[in-house]
């Protein structure tokens, strides 16, 4: 199984391009997040990393 992560910084930005590229690359499960790049805490990224460790 292939995992992917897509993030944008602003709520008015869209993940469409990233999601299309991940799908084209054959990613099975994409974790998506809309959160500022200035923050160091990214809950969805943490969830993805926990999934990969398991």
């Amino acid at each position: 199984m292939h995992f992917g992560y897509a993030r944008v910084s602003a709520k008015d930005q869209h993940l469409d391009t990233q999601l299309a590229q991940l799908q084209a690359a054959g990613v099975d499960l994409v974790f998506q997040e809309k959160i500022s790049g200035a923050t160091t805490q990214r809950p969805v990224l943490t969830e993805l990393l926990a999934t990969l460790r398991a």
Side-chain angles (χ1 to χ4, degrees):
M1 179 173 254
H2 295 94
F3 297 88
Y5 176 74
R7 182 189 66 82
V8 291
S9 297
K11 295 192 185 279
D12 62 336
Q13 292 178 325
H14 303 284
L15 294 165
D16 299 340
T17 303
Q18 292 179 51
L19 294 174
Q21 291 176 340
L22 289 166
Q23 183 181 19
V27 172
D28 302 304
L29 181 60
V30 177
F31 290 75
Q32 303 175 40
E33 192 160 49
K34 288 189 177 187
I35 193 165
S36 172
T39 184
T40 58
Q41 300 206 355
R42 297 187 180 137
V44 176
L45 179 58
T46 301
E47 180 184 350
L48 167 60
L49 294 174
T51 301
L52 293 174
R53 286 186 189 109

